[in-house]
C-alpha cells in the first residue's frame, strides 16, 4: 500500500514539475527572442522538462501496467485514459522541433559555434501549448481517480 501511495505521489509531483519546467522554458525562449535572455536558461529548463517527462512516463507506466493501481484492463477501457494518452502523444509531437533544435544548440555550444535563435518565438508558443496540455492531462487523471465514465 505504501508503494502505491509513493508512486502516486511521485507521478503527481512529476506533473507539477513538468508544468513548471515547460512554462519556464517557454519564458526563457521568449526572453531569448526578445534579446534579453540566455541560451543557458532555456537549456536548464529543458533538462528539467525532460527529466520530469521521463519520470511521468515511468511512474505512469508502472501505475497502469505493473500492478500498482487498478490494472491494465481498467485503464485500457477508460476513455479518460485514452484522452490522457492522446494529450501525451500531442505533447511528444509538438516537442520534436524544440528537441531537435536544442540538441543542435548543445552541440554548437560544445563546439563554440554560433546558435541560431530565430525560432525562439515559435518555441515559446509550443512550450506554453505543451503546458496547457499537461494541465489537461491532470484534469483527465483526476477524472479517472474519481471514476468518471462516459456513456
Amino acid at each position: 500500500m505504501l508503494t502505491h501511495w509513493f508512486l502516486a505521489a511521485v507521478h503527481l509531483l512529476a506533473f507539477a514539475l513538468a508544468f513548471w519546467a515547460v512554462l519556464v522554458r517557454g519564458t526563457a525562449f521568449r526572453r531569448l527572442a526578445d534579446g534579453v535572455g540566455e541560451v543557458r536558461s532555456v537549456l536548464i529548463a529543458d533538462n528539467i522538462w525532460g527529466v520530469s517527462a521521463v519520470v511521468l512516463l515511468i511512474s505512469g507506466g508502472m501505475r497502469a501496467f505493473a500492478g500498482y493501481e487498478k490494472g491494465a484492463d481498467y485503464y485500457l477501457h477508460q476513455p479518460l485514459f485514452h484522452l490522457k494518452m492522446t494529450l501525451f502523444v500531442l505533447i511528444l509531437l509538438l516537442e520534436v522541433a524544440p528537441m531537435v533544435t536544442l540538441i543542435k544548440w548543445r552541440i554548437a555550444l560544445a563546439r563554440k559555434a554560433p546558435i541560431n535563435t530565430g525560432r525562439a518565438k515559435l518555441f515559446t508558443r509550443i512550450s506554453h501549448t505543451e503546458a496547457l496540455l499537461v494541465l489537461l492531462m491532470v484534469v483527465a487523471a483526476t477524472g479517472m481517480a474519481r471514476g468518471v465514465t462516459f456513456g
Side-chain angles (χ1 to χ4, degrees):
M1 189 63 137
L2 190 60
T3 305
H4 297 229
W5 176 40
F6 177 75
L7 201 52
V10 166
H11 195 60
L12 187 57
L13 290 170
F15 269 114
L17 185 60
F19 177 71
W20 174 81
V22 77
L23 276 181
V24 168
R25 186 184 76 170
T27 300
F29 271 128
R30 186 182 71 236
R31 292 181 49 77
L32 192 61
D34 292 343
V36 294
E38 298 179 8
V39 169
R40 186 172 186 269
S41 298
V42 173
L43 296 177
I44 290 170
D46 185 64
N47 287 342
I48 297 168
W49 168 230
V51 167
S52 63
V54 169
V55 171
L56 276 171
L57 189 60
I58 292 170
S59 62
M62 289 177 68
R63 292 182 75 209
F65 303 112
Y68 288 99
E69 290 296 329
K70 297 174 179 103
D73 190 54
Y74 170 81
Y75 288 103
L76 293 176
H77 291 92
Q78 171 55 264
L80 287 173
F81 179 76
H82 290 276
L83 173 61
K84 191 176 168 188
M85 292 303 98
T86 299
L87 295 168
F88 185 72
V89 168
L90 285 173
I91 290 170
L92 290 176
L93 292 173
L94 285 170
E95 188 60 24
V96 171
M99 181 177 53
V100 169
T101 298
L102 292 175
I103 289 169
K104 289 178 182 178
W105 286 11
R106 286 177 172 92
I107 292 168
L109 281 174
R111 294 180 179 166
K112 300 192 186 318
I115 293 173
N116 179 359
T117 61
R119 295 173 67 189
K121 278 201 188 285
L122 169 65
F123 296 152
T124 296
R125 289 191 300 276
I126 288 173
S127 295
H128 290 160
T129 299
E130 289 173 345
L132 174 63
L133 295 174
V134 168
L135 283 179
L136 293 174
M137 287 178 73
V138 171
V139 170
T142 58
M144 286 189 320
R146 298 289 170 241
V148 173
T149 59
F150 300 97

